[in-house]
Amino acid sequence: MADIPAGEQRRQLAPPVDHTGVLGWIRKNLFSSWGNGITTIVLLAAILWLLNWFVDWAILRAVWTAPGGSACRGHGACWALIHEKYRLIFFGTYPYEQQWRPLLAVAVMLAVLIASGDRRMWNKRLLAIWGIGSFATFLLMLGQISIPLGLILFVALGIGGLGMLLRGTVADAAEINGWRALAAVGALGLILRVIGVLPGWSLDIAPFSYVETGLWGGIPVTIILASYGLLFAFPLGILLALGRRSQLPAVKGLCVGYIELIRGVPLISLLIMASVMLPLFMPQGVSFDKFLRAQVAIILFAAAYIAEIIRGGLQSLPKGQFEAADAMGLNYVQKTTLIILPQALRVVIPPLVNTFIGFFKGTSLVLIIGIFDFLNAANQAMVDPNWAGFPGEVYLFAAFVYFCFCFSMSRYAKWLEVELNRGTRR
Amino acid sequence: MASSTSHDLSHAPSVIQMKAVNKWFGQFHVLTDINLDVKQGERIVICGPSGSGKSTLIRCINRLEEHQQGDIVVHGVTLSNDVKNIETIRREVGMVFQSFNLFPHLTILDNLTLAPIWVKKMPKREAEEIAMSLLKRVRIPEQANKYPGQLSGGQQQRVAIARALCMRPKIMLFDEPTSALDPEMVKEVLDVMIELAKEGMTMLCVTHEMGFARAVADRVIFMDRGEIVEQNEPEEFFAHPKNERTKTFLGQILHH
């Protein structure tokens, strides 16, 4: 560029213009040879024929409303079945006149999930959103919630302890004393409760009629099992991933053992264990809710997978990041929470969304222990002898609903990947 | 403190003592019988061919590498497996890396204030004041709210120096601070380091910048195959190297 006079613009060459256009593209990609041309025509004809058949069956000759299955015979798709049974498909055996509650709960959960997808919410607000959203969801679904005193004290102890651990080195004296007081009240209360000084009092919130989890079904079950499965599996997965990289052989061995064991068995076997074998080990009279057992099994299962994803994120960090944090004198907890995890988690968010898609569909395995998620509720719709003989319509509809959810999640994951890779990242 | 190259260190207290330090990577003997005594305010340049153990030597001082035999005493604290001792030493020893190692998810200002706030429990406002004054010193205060990825290599390395200085260290370790930089950025980093040396900071610097060694070093150490082969004042070291290996090395890096 030495021969360019100062102050003069360097002459920029425009890229060569592509004159081919649509016809050129078709010629180049579809009809570049005799063989390709014939293949194109044959495949095009096949696609048109299939499309024609499908439109004819699914729309032109379809029956949209009918008093019973017999009215559909000899016609196209029997959408009347879906029209008749959609409440059963979406909400399962939840009491019919109360089904506005699961509908509202689903709306709340979707709102929470969509809000969690927004990067601007990725801070303390997210905790508040999930706290309030979860409370609303379960209050709507159950109708009545009774919070025992012990749980309240336990949460106080947990929050106080976490505050002391995470804010210990930065907070001023007043804040630290606040955390300490909270933890102390929780611990003292728990002890008094256990030895029987405090009564077994509980906080009852009961605006609606009670609906036990055995009656839950349909889309809220699918969304709750998948969302809370991943939500609780996430911190467990982080701990497992960190443990797997630990220098301490006992911790490392435990974590590796757990991850490999869980990843080595199918989810179905874990669900059966949780529902059939776990009660056998419980003392007489103690029993967990079936839904809760399935949820715990999904959490334990998902944690192993999430741990491996997070381990990938941890390994992607250059060694220099660890060394710089060490050289500054940060301790292990500080190094992990301030330097390592924020970077590692950013890397693994897109694969985590993919895992979520997998678990969203995988939850239908809870059928095996008698819980009716969306797919199994749809199955239930076919049992009615009055409407027998139309499995295609039901499964097509279920597939369509699953597709809507999963496709939007996968688009989101793709968008997020682009979003996270620009701007502040190297 | 002194502003010329040769300042009197004979009465200065010693801040780092390494006695008969040995280290192996597996079967490979990477440090062999290292004996080194560093006085307060002393500026040491360590050079040598690649793989000679220079980086490992200074990384042993803040325990990024663990030595297997011998003693290392920093500011009266003996390095052992005691985590408290290690953290005490790391608080007083700053380190600058070849690849900068800034934290890409934090702004420049947050990179600087992180350690003072979390390790020294300094109030945020005070830490930010110190950080800004140090950014002025390395001549990039206007970059405070950017992210590391938006800065040039030379700017990033100056930020890394400021970040280490934020902890008010008594000793600074430099591990090839200019090796990853484009040639036109080497000078801006060296200028900051020379300024620091003139203010009396105790410095151990692994580098091949012989101009820098001539300008500020009190002592140049030549290492080869894990040993300290020769050490001397810079003028004497460059003019009359005694060991054959030193001569060969200097011949390679100075006359090409």
Side-chain angles (χ1 to χ4, degrees):
Chain A
M1 274 187 276
D3 53 343
I4 295 168
E8 204 169 299
Q9 282 280 320
R10 192 171 76 92
R11 199 168 71 88
Q12 297 250 352
L13 288 180
V17 181
D18 186 8
H19 288 293
T20 49
V22 180
L23 276 177
W25 184 90
I26 289 174
R27 195 189 160 86
K28 189 177 156 206
N29 289 290
L30 301 177
F31 294 97
S32 58
S33 70
W34 274 103
N36 284 354
I38 291 168
T39 315
T40 301
I41 289 168
V42 169
L43 287 178
L44 217 59
I47 291 171
L48 283 176
W49 182 79
L50 269 173
L51 207 66
N52 177 45
W53 174 83
F54 184 79
V55 169
D56 183 51
W57 176 80
I59 299 172
L60 297 180
R61 291 193 297 120
V63 179
W64 301 90
T65 50
S70 48
C72 289
R73 309 248 179 257
H75 297 278
C78 189
W79 299 126
L81 166 60
I82 308 295
H83 185 256
E84 180 75 17
K85 300 278 185 187
Y86 76 97
R87 302 252 312 238
L88 176 66
I89 295 174
F90 276 112
F91 303 120
T93 48
Y94 204 92
Y96 193 81
E97 66 285 357
Q98 295 284 327
Q99 282 181 357
W100 60 272
R101 278 158 52 184
L103 178 66
L104 212 56
V106 167
V108 170
M109 279 304 292
L110 289 182
V112 167
L113 288 174
I114 289 169
S116 314
D118 188 343
R119 278 187 75 186
R120 285 166 297 179
M121 298 289 176
W122 292 359
N123 48 42
K124 280 176 202 149
R125 259 184 287 179
L126 205 56
L127 276 179
I129 289 172
W130 275 89
I132 295 166
S134 304
F135 181 74
T137 301
F138 283 97
L139 190 62
L140 282 165
M141 290 298 290
L142 285 166
Q144 305 181 355
I145 295 179
S146 151
I147 308 168
L149 181 61
L151 184 66
I152 298 174
L153 292 169
F154 186 76
V155 168
L157 175 64
I159 292 176
L162 215 61
M164 277 162 67
L165 183 71
L166 292 180
R167 304 276 305 158
T169 46
V170 277
D172 53 26
E175 189 187 331
I176 276 297
N177 283 336
W179 294 120
R180 280 190 190 137
L182 196 62
V185 167
L188 194 69
L190 266 185
I191 293 168
L192 291 177
R193 175 77 193 85
V194 167
I195 59 174
V197 176
L198 284 175
W201 175 84
S202 65
L203 179 66
D204 290 319
I205 306 166
F208 312 116
S209 60
Y210 181 68
V211 178
E212 58 160 336
T213 55
L215 295 174
W216 294 11
I219 204 80
V221 168
T222 295
I223 294 179
I224 288 176
L225 283 179
S227 307
Y228 288 96
L230 271 280
L231 180 73
F232 285 100
F234 189 59
L236 193 57
I238 290 176
L239 290 180
L240 284 169
L242 291 172
R244 188 164 190 168
R245 289 167 60 93
S246 168
Q247 309 274 332
L248 308 168
V251 173
K252 183 176 178 166
L254 218 62
C255 291
V256 172
Y258 178 88
I259 291 170
E260 296 304 335
L261 191 73
I262 296 280
R263 292 203 323 150
V265 299
L267 177 56
I268 279 198
S269 65
L270 211 61
L271 284 168
I272 292 177
M273 291 238 279
S275 103
V276 181
M277 289 177 63
L278 200 64
L280 297 180
F281 295 115
M282 288 287 158
Q284 203 76 42
V286 175
S287 76
F288 284 119
D289 186 85
K290 186 167 71 176
F291 188 82
L292 186 63
R293 287 198 303 252
Q295 181 74 82
V296 168
I298 289 174
I299 290 171
L300 295 180
F301 190 75
Y305 283 84
I306 290 181
E308 285 300 276
I309 293 174
I310 291 175
R311 187 167 70 107
L314 293 173
Q315 275 169 347
S316 74
L317 290 191
K319 206 165 144 246
Q321 293 290 311
F322 294 83
E323 288 179 349
D326 280 336
M328 286 179 156
L330 296 176
N331 64 31
Y332 179 79
V333 174
Q334 292 168 339
K335 178 173 70 169
T336 306
T337 55
L338 296 171
I339 308 298
I340 306 307
L341 283 181
Q343 295 187 62
L345 295 186
R346 211 175 280 215
V347 181
V348 301
I349 284 169
L352 276 179
V353 178
N354 283 331
T355 308
F356 185 78
I357 293 174
F359 274 89
F360 189 81
K361 294 174 292 182
T363 50
S364 33
L365 291 173
V366 294
L367 168 73
I368 208 82
I369 58 170
I371 293 173
F372 292 94
D373 81 320
F374 180 63
L375 186 64
N376 303 326
N379 248 329
Q380 223 37 32
M382 293 184 289
V383 174
D384 188 345
N386 196 19
W387 289 93
F390 302 101
E393 284 84 343
V394 175
Y395 282 130
L396 212 57
F397 178 69
F400 174 72
V401 173
Y402 272 112
F403 180 79
C404 288
F405 275 99
C406 295
F407 185 67
S408 40
M409 284 188 270
S410 107
R411 295 308 301 177
Y412 169 70
K414 207 169 163 54
W415 170 82
L416 196 62
E417 215 161 326
V418 176
E419 181 76 9
L420 288 177
N421 278 329
R422 70 168 190 218
T424 63
R425 301 290 298 172
R426 253 187 299 196
Chain B
M1 270 229 172
S3 58
S4 70
T5 40
S6 56
H7 62 302
D8 186 18
L9 292 161
S10 51
H11 299 294
S14 122
V15 286
I16 301 173
Q17 291 126 358
M18 298 177 95
K19 283 183 206 119
V21 171
N22 278 286
K23 177 172 174 60
W24 290 262
F25 284 137
Q27 291 296 307
F28 181 61
H29 201 167
V30 62
L31 292 180
T32 312
D33 268 325
I34 300 291
N35 287 291
L36 180 65
D37 195 279
V38 182
K39 303 268 192 211
Q40 190 171 354
E42 194 173 13
R43 283 98 53 156
I44 295 179
V45 164
I46 304 171
C47 60
S50 73
S52 58
K54 326 175 282 283
S55 291
T56 311
L57 174 74
I58 66 165
R59 286 158 62 89
C60 277
I61 295 172
N62 64 352
R63 197 67 164 194
L64 286 184
E65 302 285 355
E66 202 172 314
H67 63 283
Q68 282 131 335
Q69 280 178 11
D71 288 318
I72 302 179
V73 182
V74 181
H75 262 279
V77 180
T78 306
L79 267 177
S80 62
N81 282 324
D82 187 342
V83 180
K84 278 270 169 290
N85 280 359
I86 297 174
E87 282 175 5
T88 311
I89 287 172
R90 284 177 177 168
R91 231 169 284 165
E92 304 197 339
V93 179
M95 184 154 194
V96 176
F97 299 87
Q98 180 179 356
S99 50
F100 327 138
N101 295 347
L102 296 178
F103 304 130
H105 62 301
L106 300 176
T107 63
I108 300 304
L109 192 62
D110 288 339
N111 261 281
L112 263 68
T113 56
L114 186 89
I117 289 176
W118 289 90
V119 179
K120 278 192 163 175
K121 304 170 177 44
M122 190 185 282
K124 191 167 185 227
R125 180 180 295 264
E126 191 186 335
E128 282 179 353
E129 272 167 24
I130 293 176
M132 283 313 295
S133 75
L134 282 167
L135 282 179
K136 281 195 194 96
R137 235 172 90 182
V138 299
R139 294 181 278 277
I140 36 177
E142 71 282 359
Q143 312 284 358
N145 292 314
K146 289 193 185 166
Y147 284 88
Q150 296 166 291
L151 269 57
S152 73
Q155 289 172 325
Q156 288 194 45
Q157 193 60 298
R158 284 185 281 155
V159 171
I161 294 173
R163 179 175 73 173
L165 292 176
C166 249
M167 285 292 280
R168 302 248 180 269
K170 301 198 174 80
I171 301 163
M172 284 284 285
L173 308 174
F174 293 85
D175 190 358
E176 306 207 24
T178 56
S179 304
L181 295 175
D182 291 338
E184 73 266 29
M185 295 173 181
V186 170
K187 188 177 177 295
E188 63 187 51
V189 171
L190 286 181
D191 285 347
V192 169
M193 290 170 63
I194 289 170
E195 211 172 285
L196 196 60
K198 285 181 177 163
E199 285 162 20
M201 175 66 77
T202 310
M203 293 166 69
L204 274 87
C205 187
V206 173
T207 182
H208 291 147
E209 295 294 334
M210 291 305 137
F212 172 77
R214 277 207 179 89
V216 302
D218 297 304
R219 179 158 40 136
V220 181
I221 292 176
F222 174 68
M223 283 184 76
D224 191 20
R225 291 174 219 160
E227 297 169 309
I228 294 181
V229 175
E230 185 169 348
Q231 46 181 317
N232 215 329
E233 286 176 7
E235 270 163 49
E236 194 61 19
F237 179 86
F238 290 113
H240 310 289
K242 294 183 184 64
N243 192 292
E244 276 310 310
R245 285 192 263 171
T246 319
K247 284 178 194 166
T248 318
F249 175 74
L250 287 178
Q252 279 163 348
I253 66 163
L254 294 178
H255 310 291
H256 65 86

